[in-house]
Amino acid sequence: MFILILGAPGSGKGTQGRILAERLGLPKITTGDILRAAMKAGTPLGMQAKKFYDAGKLVPDSVVLGMIKDELARPEAKDGAVLDGFPRTAAQAELVDKTLAERMQRLNHILLLDVTEEELVKRLRARAATEGRSDDTPEAVAERLRVYQMDTAPLIAHYTTRGIVHRVPGIGTVDQIAEEIKRIIGR
Ligand code: AP5
Ligand code: MG
């Protein structure tokens, strides 16, 4: 089963994705984590990504499409995965749809974490103070929110026509939201 967790920056994709992947015994593929690790290690991918990442902009599709292809091709993701942070653009959605279709698979569920902008900013501000992620500066957060609305939110309409989008109220405790996701997925 392939499940995509979709939502604005700070909506809880990482938090809920981790719980869900663990429960279902599926790998979680998180493009943001892969990019952060690549930047930390100073690999060519990390070096290409850094200036976009730090500014809160999307790393261009020309850089990430290959990475997404490789991740989906990993043996662990043969029968399913929880996708956190991609697809994020129309071109990425097309790649994911096509790659899975070639394997006679598809995205089964899309969980859309619905959180108010006020709460998103509050969470990211709190995280900036504790973790110091380089894209949690006020300027980069504002840009990430803008980019989400412009490039990623349109994917909701794309997938809604297939009837696989579930809107999940993303405010409440982590456990409450995880319970709601369990109810939606049925396990
Ligand atoms: P990415 O790493 O995906 O970041 P994001 O989408 O901005 O989202 P976050 O990871 O900040 O938040 P989240 O939704 O995972 O929430 P979390 O669980 O952490 O992407 C970062 C950058 O990488 C992009 O800007 C881009 O540059 C690049 N990138 C990544 N993927 C790409 C792609 N496919 N194409 C191109 N570029 C790409 O929760 C947030 C905080 O809230 C945490 O502190 C958490 O503890 C807290 N929290 C969680 N749940 C709750 C709750 N219920 N109540 C209170 N607090 C909560
Ligand atoms: Mg995340």
Side-chain angles (χ1 to χ4, degrees):
M1 174 157 44
F2 288 87
I3 302 171
L4 162 59
I5 311 219
L6 198 61
S11 58
K13 300 184 294 294
T15 304
Q16 294 300 330
R18 200 170 310 119
I19 297 170
L20 181 63
E22 213 161 278
R23 190 171 70 240
L24 300 181
L26 292 173
K28 175 159 94 78
I29 307 177
T30 306
T31 43
D33 286 351
I34 297 167
L35 292 169
R36 279 182 285 278
M39 287 187 292
K40 199 167 165 211
T43 64
L45 171 68
M47 288 191 288
Q48 279 175 296
K50 188 165 173 40
K51 73 167 191 283
F52 300 101
Y53 180 97
D54 285 349
K57 297 189 182 305
L58 290 183
V59 179
D61 283 333
S62 56
V63 177
V64 292
L65 287 176
M67 169 182 107
I68 289 174
K69 216 168 173 200
D70 292 347
E71 287 300 317
L72 290 175
R74 289 162 79 97
E76 307 89 278
K78 186 168 63 70
D79 301 319
V82 173
L83 313 185
D84 163 8
F86 80 99
R88 225 170 169 112
T89 64
Q92 292 177 23
E94 201 176 302
L95 174 70
V96 171
D97 290 348
K98 182 169 152 276
T99 304
L100 294 182
E102 281 167 5
R103 293 153 44 166
M104 313 294 270
Q105 294 169 323
R106 62 188 176 87
L107 284 177
N108 302 90
H109 298 286
I110 302 202
L111 300 168
L112 175 61
L113 294 175
D114 200 5
V115 177
T116 59
E117 188 157 321
E118 193 190 352
E119 171 73 11
L120 298 172
V121 170
K122 198 172 104 195
R123 288 183 190 177
L124 295 178
R125 202 172 288 156
R127 190 174 64 188
T130 54
E131 289 179 26
R133 221 172 91 169
S134 62
D135 62 341
D136 278 344
T137 60
E139 298 74 27
V141 166
E143 182 63 7
R144 282 156 65 200
L145 291 168
R146 194 188 68 80
V147 166
Y148 174 76
Q149 289 306 334
M150 198 171 66
D151 293 327
T152 306
L155 297 183
I156 300 166
H158 168 75
Y159 288 119
T160 296
T161 58
R162 288 198 219 160
I164 55 173
V165 176
H166 314 272
R167 198 171 281 267
V168 183
I171 297 190
T173 67
V174 169
D175 288 348
Q176 281 167 342
I177 299 163
E179 258 321 295
E180 177 62 13
I181 290 176
K182 189 172 175 185
R183 196 188 62 76
I184 290 169
I185 304 289
R187 62 191 175 110

